[in-house]
Each structure stands twice: as structure tokens, then as C-alpha cells.
Amino acid sequence: MATEDARYRDSSQYRLWSFSPTQLSALREKTNAAARARISERLLSHPLPVSTSKQDLSAPTSNANTPDPDGNSTPALPEFLTPAEELTLVGYYTSEILRASEALHYADEIKATAAMFLKRFYITNSIMTYPPAEMFFVALFFACKVDTGHVNLAEYTKIFNKSAEEILAGEFLLCQGLRFAFDVKHPYRALRGAMMELASLPDMQKDLKRLDEAEAKARKVLQFSPLMTDAYFHYTPSQIMLAALSLADRGLAERLIQETFHFVAAEGNDTPGGGGGDNNKGNEEKARVIGSQIRDKVLGAIEGCRDMLSRELPERKDHWLNKQVIKTQITPLRKKLLKCKDPERWNLVELQRVRREQAAKKMDSDDEDDLGGGKKVKKEEDGDIFGGDLGHSAKKRKMTVKKEEDPFGGPMVKKEDPFGGPMVKKEEPFGGTKVKKEEDSSFGRFGGAL
Amino acid sequence: MPPQRPPTSAPRPGGVTAVSSLAPDGLPKPDSDDMCPVCKTIRYLNRDMEFLINPECYHSMCSSCVNRLFNEGPQQCPYAGCHRTLRRKGFRSPFFGDLSVEREVDIRRRVNQVFNQVEDDFNTLRDYNNYLQMVEDLTFDLVHGDEPTKRKAEAQLQQWEAEHKTEIERNRRAGKEQDEQSRRRLAAEQAAARQRRLDAIKEAEEEKMEKIKIKEMEIDSLERGQPLPDQQRVQLKRRGNKAVEAVTNLAAGSSSTADAVGKLSIRGLKEKKKEPRPEGPYDPFGGLDLTPSRYKIHGGLSHPNVEKYRSDKAHVTGGYSFDEYTSRAMFEAFAGLGVFIEDERDVGVGLVASEVVGMGAALAAVGGDGPGLKMELD
């Protein structure tokens, strides 16, 4: 096995985020089904915000025990998105990410990472569970962090007219959804490498202009096509790069593959039972790594990738911006999405607040449990050592939550204070010192008497 | 005014101790040493009261009691129920506050005098461990056992002593010799250190003198109007020589101690452990082969967009290596080229989905067993 391949197999992109097409579609269907089940359960247990008529009000309680999402007996349930519709919406938001990051002149890697973060997140999470319009900003912000293009949160929120809380609320959620695999391997540097290799071929020296053109074209493809398709899940960066190159200049891509998988000399010697053990073995290994057989396989993979990429060529950018398309395809889906969203998860800020409160409550109750047990004195000591701190931090957390809740309310009150406050404050020091002085003198008197 | 005694320590006829202050094994508790159990004197009255014990029975009493009772010769222990005859000569002050510990340490010392074989006396580690186990069992019986086991263990100890008299004697002598040797070595080392210190002082003195001398010479030469550039160089050289000498001396000293260790006589047939094989240089990648198999890194690899930075000071000053960029770009261009995700995810690494389907069909048709097929696949 080639060492390059072995090293690629160690990457998180291969281990966690590479799927065969059947696996991927199965995963998406599973996510969709799970989201349906969960949302319908939640809608039934909290019927008020959705249902309007009285009939609906009574119906969910009877159905709560026997959830039957598809039956006619549950009129409270909206129509859910299908996996294909979810995919379309994710595609739309991915294109939005690319558009936004282009407007901000972010680096190619950041754009691509943000797009892949969004896509990866919505494989294991349904678009009906978490709002894509929010996760979109989170993914872009987090991609900036990951690809060493850190943007100040204040600036970032100013650009998109969001509050810092909204961005940060989804951040950990995103990390969880990414299974904490932040490294996305892109084909951009690979393209540079391929160009270097091609330029170093002796007969290519004359055709440098052709190389430049091909690189520019392939780069354009790489900036859009693999991100809009599932290419990152099904192919390795080098395969994607070669597919893009073959879209730009087929001859160059084939030339590079021919040059790489050039090993043919061994075919003649490689007869079974032929002598020269070590040499033979080396040849076999070489044939496996750069022989003609693997070349055909690579060519097949690149052809497949090329087909996939050609479905979303850069020219399709306009398609995603076309008002007509948005009106006919995207808007109805978004409306539908708003109806079937998860009532508990949709508001990320609220969700984060609730989760924090739960965590704090849990810690508090843990402390109480500790104190309530037998051997009271000893337990209290233990609490001081271990539990006390935790309780403290939990309280702190609560405080911060409260602070976050009214970021604008606080200062207003403080501003009013300066007129009323200082008067009182100024009086206090005098009173304080007076008392102290008296005490001092009295102590002195006592001391003297003694 | 006579001191009032606390009501609890009222004297009792016979002056015999209260049984309640005894530990389970019949020895006084360590916290009872504020009062002599024999004469009931308390420490409050006699500041420098000293408690003595006799290793016969480990019953403690104050030194004045010992003097009073045993001045005229051997007597019975004054403790109730203890019928041992004690002599004044046997009394000593205990080292440990807890007398049971004192007793155990004494017993262990005695046992170790008899069972004084060392690891080199045995052929295998297992033998040695068995021996140690036996010794420890015997010691435990002597320390914690009840009367019959104690007696039995005592008999065993004496029997062993009688049987292995010569060996014990020899080992004792060897141990003494070794002690002597180590003491001598220590003394020699100390002497050497002292000598070194003296030498260093002497050397410093000499250097100082020399410096002064050179300074004078310099002044003289300046007076005469002709500088002496060689002089300083000579001094530096000498200093360097001295440093080298010191290092070699140190090495010689350490080698001589190594020789001394090597000369130690080794008894027994015990096989010595083999030295572990030298490990060679440390490999941070754990044997991972990082040489590329699909491409070669050569000087001709370049790109116009990279070349323009080669003269950029911001890039060059920081020590940025353009070769690193090249090798990384080349690696990314070819890494994973032979990784076919679709096949590998569905079937496994190194197999092709369509082939496996074909195999499966063949397997179903023939009904052959799995392993043979697997061999074929490999």
C-alpha cells in the first residue's frame, strides 16, 4: 500500500466523514426519520403553539400514547420535509455560505471549510431540528477559526447584524455535529502540487500558458462544484482535484495520471515462480502502487467524480441566485420547514440557556444529595472540598446566563445612578470613619485602664 | 505539702499494674508511659523518669524500680502473672514507643542473623523467593503466633541455626567484609573529594599569583614600550589544559570504581541477566515509512505563485522553508489517490465491490467454505 494512501486513511476525514453513496443516503434517511419521530412527539406533547382549533386540543392527548405520524387521526402534525427536500435546502444554504464568504473575501479554504461544516452537520442532524439560517453563520464563523483566519466576533456580528449570543449559542452544537473533526482536507494545495509536477515535465516547459489556464479553470471548479455536491464524502481530495483538472483540461489530467502510474516494466518478469524473490516482491509492491491496474481504477474513480462535479459546474452559481428558482423551489420548502420545525430545538439561544440551567440545577441537586446523606459532619467537609467549588461555579454560570440575558438593560440603570448614587456613597465614608474612630478611642481607653 | 494523687492512681498493695492498661498481646499500651506501672510514680513528679524494658518479657518499668528491684541479683518480673526471671543487665530503654513494635524488631533482627543468605546463594529466583517466604512465615509465627506455634517456630529456628552453622558464619563474615569494603570506599571517596578541594584551592591560588605576575610583566613591558601579546595566549592555553586534565581525571576515577564493582566476588550458580540489546536511535514515527511512493521530490518543482515569495523578505526572514511547501503540496496531490471510498466503505479495504459480489455468487453456487476463499482474495 502506498504510504500516501495509508496516511490519508489516518485522517478524520476518511475515518469519520467518508461514505459510500448508499451509506450516505441511508444516513440521511435515518436522520430524517428520527427527526420526524422526535418532532411529532414533541408537537403532540406541546400542542398549544401549533394547533388552533379546539378539536386539535383534545386530539393530541389521546394520541400521545400511540404516536402515529402518518395517520389521519393526528391533524396537529404538519407535513414533514423529505430527505431530498432537506438536501435541496442544505444545498441552498451552502450556496449562501459561498456567496457570503465571497463577498467578505475570505480565503478559499475558509469558504470550503464552512460549506463542508454545514453539510457535515446536516448529515447527522436534520434541517428540521436546528435552524439552517442560524447554523449558517455559526459554521462560517467557526470555519474562520479553524482555518486560521480568525475574525473578531464583534466585527463578524456587525457584518451580519446578529448578536454575539446567537453566533456562540450554536458553536458547541456544531462541534458536536462535526464529531469534533475540524480538519477538512481540501484539494486546493493538491492542485498546486499537480501543477508543479506537470510543469517539471520536460515537454511541458513550452506550454506553461496552458498550465496556467488549466489551473485557473480547475480552481474555479474546485471553489464551487465539490462543495455543492457530495464529492467530499465520496472521493479523496486528490481525486477531486484530478477530476476538476480533467474538467478544465482533460489532456493534462490524463497526462499526470499516466506519468504517475507508469510502472509497466515488471509485467514481463512477473511470471509466477520466477526467481529473484526480493526484487520480485518489490516489483509486485510497485505494481500495486503505481501499476496499470490501479491506474485504471483511479481513472474510473476520477471519471465518477468528474460526472458528479459536472452536475454543479461553476456556471450553476446563477441557478442558486435565480429569483425564479428561489421562488419556485426554495421558498415553498422554507415555508414548509417553518411549519415542521422542532419546537424545542429551533431557538438556539433559548436551547442553550435551558441546557445551562439544567446543568446548573443538576449540580445544585447533587450538592444537596451530598449534604442530605448520613454522617452529616463529614459530608459537609467533603462538600467543602469538592462540592463547594462546583456549587460555586454553577452559581457563577447562572450569573453569566443572567448577564447574557439582558446585555442592554444593565448599563441603562447604571447610567442613571451617577446622579443619585454618589450622594449616598459620599455620606457613608464619613459615617463609617466616625464610628471607627469612636471605637478606636474606646479601645484606647480600655487599654489604658487595664 | 504532699502532692495530691489523682484518685484513679491510688496505690494498690503489691504495686502490680492494672491489667486494663495492657494491649491484647500483654504489652503495655504506649500511652501509659506517664506512670510507672510498678511504683505508680507519675511523670509529673519525676521529670526525668526513664522507662526501661527487658527483652525477656518487654514489661516496662521506671529506672528507679529497676535499680531497686534488681540491684541484688536476678529477680522475678514484678508484673502480675509474669514469672520470668530478669537480670539488671538485660534492661535497656526502648527505641520505639510501641513496645510490640520494639519486640517485633528485636525478633526480626534475631531471625535475620540466622537467615542471612543473599540472592547470589541461590540458583534461581524462585528458590530465593521460597526462602524469603519461609523466613517471613517463621518470623510471623514468632511475632504473632500463640504459644505452641511460637515454640514450634523457635525450635525450627534453632534447628536451622544448628544445621547451617558454617554457612551462617560465612555469610556473616562476607557481610562484614562487604560493610568494611563499602566503608573503605566511602572513606576513599571522601579523601579524594577533600584532595580535590585542596587542589582546587591551590590551583586558584596559583592562578591568582600568575595573574598578578602577568599583570606585573605587562606593566613592565609597557614601561619598556613593547607589548607581550603571547603571554596571554599562553595563560589561556594552560587553563584549557587544566580543564581537560580534570575531565580525564574524573573519567579515570569513575572507571576505577567500576573496576572495583567488577572485582566483587560472585558466589553461587545464579545466571546473570543479559544486558538489553542497544535500541538504536529514537524513531519518532515508530517505523512509519514516509518516503513517497508515487512521486519524487526534486529541485525542479516550482510554481510561479510560490517563486515570487522567494525574494519576499517577510517570508524569507522567518526561516520559512519553501521545500516544506513543495513537499506538502506534492503529498496532498497524490495522497489518497488509491483510496476508493465507495468500495472500501461498502466492502473493506483492498477489495472491489463488484468483485466481491461476484465472489459471493460463486460462493453461493459452489458452497465452499470461507477461509479458502479469503486466501484467494488475499
Side-chain angles (χ1 to χ4, degrees):
Chain A
M1 194 188 295
T3 56
E4 295 98 293
D5 291 350
R7 279 163 76 184
Y8 182 73
R9 284 203 178 89
D10 273 345
S11 67
S12 64
Q13 178 154 325
Y14 177 80
R15 284 184 290 117
L16 303 177
W17 290 110
S18 291
F19 309 102
S20 71
T22 44
Q23 273 179 328
L24 191 61
S25 58
L27 253 178
R28 283 187 172 135
E29 265 161 36
K30 205 173 134 199
T31 306
N32 183 270
R36 273 172 193 237
R38 213 176 317 119
I39 293 170
S40 52
E41 194 178 299
R42 284 199 183 127
L43 286 178
L44 290 175
S45 55
H46 305 286
L48 281 173
V50 180
S51 56
T52 44
S53 65
K54 280 176 189 172
Q55 211 181 6
D56 288 347
L57 267 177
S58 61
T61 44
S62 60
N63 279 332
N65 294 329
T66 55
D68 184 14
D70 295 318
N72 288 329
S73 55
T74 54
L77 289 180
E79 200 183 335
F80 288 109
L81 292 177
T82 63
E85 286 169 335
E86 276 195 50
L87 193 57
T88 316
L89 266 182
V90 172
Y92 168 71
Y93 281 106
T94 313
S95 78
E96 286 290 286
I97 278 199
L98 292 180
R99 202 158 64 90
S101 50
E102 206 154 298
L104 293 170
H105 301 296
Y106 284 163
D108 282 349
E109 274 85 2
I110 295 181
K111 285 181 213 170
T113 305
M116 285 320 293
F117 278 177
L118 195 75
K119 281 183 98 93
R120 284 180 179 182
F121 181 78
Y122 281 119
I123 283 181
T124 45
N125 292 290
S126 170
I127 210 164
M128 296 181 281
T129 316
Y130 298 111
E134 304 290 327
M135 295 312 290
F136 156 89
F137 296 110
V138 180
L140 186 54
F141 179 66
F142 198 68
C144 287
K145 279 191 194 175
V146 167
D147 269 336
T148 61
H150 181 57
V151 195
N152 192 342
L153 181 61
E155 284 171 27
Y156 186 79
T157 49
K158 215 183 273 170
I159 294 167
F160 291 112
N161 199 17
K162 292 251 159 200
S163 77
E165 212 184 351
E166 279 173 301
I167 303 291
L168 297 180
E171 212 170 30
F172 185 65
L173 199 66
L174 181 80
C175 294
Q176 280 178 317
L178 298 175
R179 294 154 89 183
F180 300 95
F182 300 141
D183 185 24
V184 184
K185 298 208 179 297
H186 299 300
Y188 302 116
R189 200 180 288 107
L191 182 64
R192 198 42 78 67
M195 284 301 145
M196 286 179 180
E197 177 74 23
L198 280 171
S200 72
L201 296 176
D203 57 320
M204 279 288 168
Q205 298 296 337
K206 293 167 267 170
D207 266 355
L208 287 182
K209 203 175 164 216
R210 181 185 169 196
L211 288 183
D212 279 351
E213 278 169 11
E215 185 181 3
K217 216 170 158 195
R219 202 172 176 87
K220 267 228 167 87
V221 173
L222 289 180
Q223 280 166 348
F224 185 77
S225 311
L227 303 171
M228 296 303 297
T229 59
D230 289 334
Y232 270 67
F233 298 116
H234 301 328
Y235 299 99
T236 62
S238 52
Q239 288 166 351
I240 295 171
M241 180 273 293
L242 277 171
L245 189 60
S246 85
L247 277 172
D249 190 331
R250 193 152 197 159
L252 283 181
E254 269 165 16
R255 177 77 202 276
L256 186 62
I257 293 168
Q258 293 294 352
E259 289 291 333
T260 309
F261 300 100
H262 57 83
F263 190 78
V264 280
E267 299 281 346
N269 296 335
D270 201 19
T271 48
D278 262 7
N279 195 21
N280 219 356
K281 219 173 187 181
N283 280 344
E284 259 175 50
E285 177 65 27
K286 261 190 177 173
R288 209 178 320 137
V289 174
I290 47 175
S292 57
Q293 206 175 356
I294 190 147
R295 181 190 63 207
D296 296 342
K297 247 179 117 179
V298 170
L299 277 174
I302 287 169
E303 207 55 37
C305 185
R306 189 188 144 103
D307 283 350
M308 182 171 270
L309 294 190
S310 56
R311 263 179 262 148
E312 288 280 354
L313 284 178
E315 290 79 46
R316 284 259 295 174
K317 258 184 210 173
D318 297 334
H319 166 83
W320 292 103
L321 295 180
N322 193 334
K323 276 185 185 158
Q324 197 59 38
V325 173
I326 291 177
K327 203 174 174 188
T328 54
Q329 292 181 17
I330 305 299
T331 316
L333 288 183
R334 285 172 75 175
K335 277 184 184 158
K336 202 172 158 190
L337 174 62
L338 281 182
K339 276 181 201 149
C340 65
K341 64 189 183 186
D342 190 328
E344 269 182 34
R345 302 276 171 87
W346 196 256
N347 188 341
L348 294 180
V349 177
E350 183 69 15
L351 177 69
Q352 199 197 21
R353 193 182 61 75
V354 168
R355 284 200 174 151
R356 278 187 175 164
E357 265 178 14
Q358 272 175 353
K361 226 182 249 168
K362 204 180 159 200
M363 270 171 204
D364 278 355
S365 66
D366 280 355
D367 280 358
E368 275 163 28
D369 284 352
D370 269 359
L371 292 175
K375 289 188 185 175
K376 217 173 179 186
V377 180
K378 212 185 170 191
K379 283 280 181 184
E380 263 174 1
E381 276 174 8
D382 282 353
D384 278 349
I385 297 165
F386 304 110
D389 249 3
L390 284 177
H392 194 63
S393 66
K395 267 176 207 162
K396 247 190 197 168
R397 242 185 248 167
K398 262 191 196 165
M399 295 270 284
T400 53
V401 168
K402 265 188 191 166
K403 265 185 199 164
E404 273 171 23
E405 264 182 347
D406 48 2
F408 301 111
M412 287 285 278
V413 183
K414 262 190 188 168
K415 259 187 189 170
E416 275 179 355
D417 263 338
F419 299 99
M423 290 279 277
V424 184
K425 262 189 186 168
K426 262 185 187 170
E427 274 183 353
E428 265 183 346
F430 285 120
T433 44
K434 246 186 191 171
V435 173
K436 220 179 183 182
K437 262 185 187 170
E438 273 175 12
E439 274 176 3
D440 277 350
S441 58
S442 66
F443 273 122
R445 234 178 282 144
F446 277 122
L450 276 168
Chain B
M1 205 167 98
Q4 282 189 344
R5 290 178 187 226
T8 48
S9 65
R12 253 185 260 169
V16 173
T17 170
V19 181
S20 64
S21 71
L22 292 182
D25 54 354
L27 297 175
K29 280 184 202 158
D31 60 330
S32 66
D33 68 356
D34 276 340
M35 183 186 80
C36 173
V38 179
C39 62
K40 303 294 174 201
T41 318
I42 53 175
R43 194 175 283 286
Y44 184 76
L45 301 174
N46 185 3
R47 270 292 156 84
D48 34 52
M49 186 164 69
E50 193 189 4
F51 285 95
L52 300 177
I53 52 140
N54 195 316
E56 280 289 326
C57 62
Y58 291 93
H59 288 141
S60 70
M61 56 198 85
C62 69
S63 50
S64 61
C65 282
V66 171
N67 282 334
R68 178 168 53 80
L69 291 170
F70 300 99
N71 227 1
E72 276 101 51
Q75 278 282 345
Q76 225 182 28
C77 178
Y79 275 60
C82 180
H83 305 298
R84 292 187 190 260
T85 313
L86 309 178
R87 290 163 197 280
R88 198 180 159 199
K89 213 176 124 197
F91 279 93
R92 58 186 172 87
S93 63
F95 185 80
F96 296 99
D98 189 342
L99 290 178
S100 61
V101 175
E102 178 84 22
R103 179 167 158 266
E104 183 171 344
V105 168
D106 283 347
I107 291 173
R108 279 182 186 280
R109 192 176 291 138
R110 200 175 130 232
V111 171
N112 275 356
Q113 266 173 8
V114 175
F115 292 93
N116 59 358
Q117 301 201 7
V118 286
E119 194 178 351
D120 285 338
D121 292 336
F122 297 90
N123 290 343
T124 61
L125 185 65
R126 195 174 179 77
D127 288 347
Y128 182 52
N129 279 334
N130 287 342
Y131 166 78
L132 287 181
Q133 179 71 40
M134 193 242 321
V135 172
E136 192 53 41
D137 284 347
L138 192 97
T139 312
F140 185 85
D141 282 350
L142 280 175
V143 174
H144 299 289
D146 50 5
E147 255 334 292
T149 43
K150 248 187 220 173
R151 225 170 292 138
K152 207 174 139 201
E154 186 71 29
Q156 202 185 340
L157 183 70
Q158 269 159 12
Q159 190 193 349
W160 179 278
E161 197 172 3
E163 277 175 8
H164 298 80
K165 209 160 206 168
T166 53
E167 277 174 51
I168 290 166
E169 192 51 37
R170 193 193 62 204
N171 275 329
R172 191 175 291 160
R173 235 179 297 129
K176 258 186 203 159
E177 228 165 70
Q178 210 166 351
D179 283 354
E180 186 69 20
Q181 234 172 18
S182 63
R183 216 181 56 229
R184 238 178 294 150
R185 200 166 48 226
L186 208 70
E189 269 170 24
Q190 273 172 351
R194 205 182 311 125
Q195 188 58 40
R196 267 204 301 279
R197 246 191 332 268
L198 285 178
D199 284 354
I201 290 167
K202 210 167 135 197
E203 212 168 275
E205 201 81 1
E206 265 175 25
E207 214 166 87
K208 223 174 176 181
M209 294 296 287
E210 210 160 303
K211 235 185 202 168
I212 292 167
K213 217 164 111 192
I214 286 168
K215 217 171 185 180
E216 277 171 5
M217 280 166 85
E218 243 171 42
I219 289 168
D220 283 354
S221 68
L222 280 174
E223 271 175 5
R224 261 179 275 130
Q226 33 182 232
L228 279 178
D230 284 353
Q231 205 67 37
Q232 243 159 353
R233 216 172 295 152
V234 167
Q235 193 199 5
L236 283 176
K237 210 172 173 186
R238 193 172 295 159
R239 221 182 259 177
N241 279 348
K242 263 177 193 166
V244 169
E245 248 171 52
V247 168
T248 49
N249 278 346
L250 207 70
S254 64
S255 74
S256 74
T257 53
D259 284 350
V261 170
K263 271 177 203 162
L264 284 178
S265 61
I266 294 164
R267 283 169 281 118
L269 301 165
K270 191 180 170 250
E271 264 185 52
K272 287 292 151 205
K273 271 177 258 160
K274 268 185 200 164
E275 287 224 343
R277 211 178 288 163
E279 281 181 11
Y282 171 66
D283 179 12
F285 296 111
L288 183 66
D289 184 14
L290 291 178
T291 44
S293 56
R294 290 215 178 95
Y295 59 93
K296 285 193 182 74
I297 301 284
H298 53 85
L301 294 171
S302 69
H303 192 276
N305 284 359
V306 180
E307 284 308 309
K308 70 182 177 193
Y309 288 111
R310 278 198 201 263
S311 53
D312 180 19
K313 272 188 186 152
H315 278 74
V316 178
T317 314
Y320 182 76
S321 161
F322 288 89
D323 294 342
E324 286 294 322
Y325 178 81
T326 316
S327 64
R328 189 172 172 194
M330 289 301 287
F331 170 75
E332 290 200 3
F334 292 98
L337 209 49
V339 175
F340 306 102
I341 291 169
E342 185 175 349
D343 291 343
E344 291 176 13
R345 286 290 150 181
D346 279 347
V347 192
V349 176
L351 303 174
V352 184
S354 54
E355 274 177 24
V356 169
V357 170
M359 295 282 185
L363 183 75
V366 179
D369 46 16
L373 189 83
K374 213 178 176 191
M375 293 287 283
E376 260 181 63
L377 281 175
D378 285 337

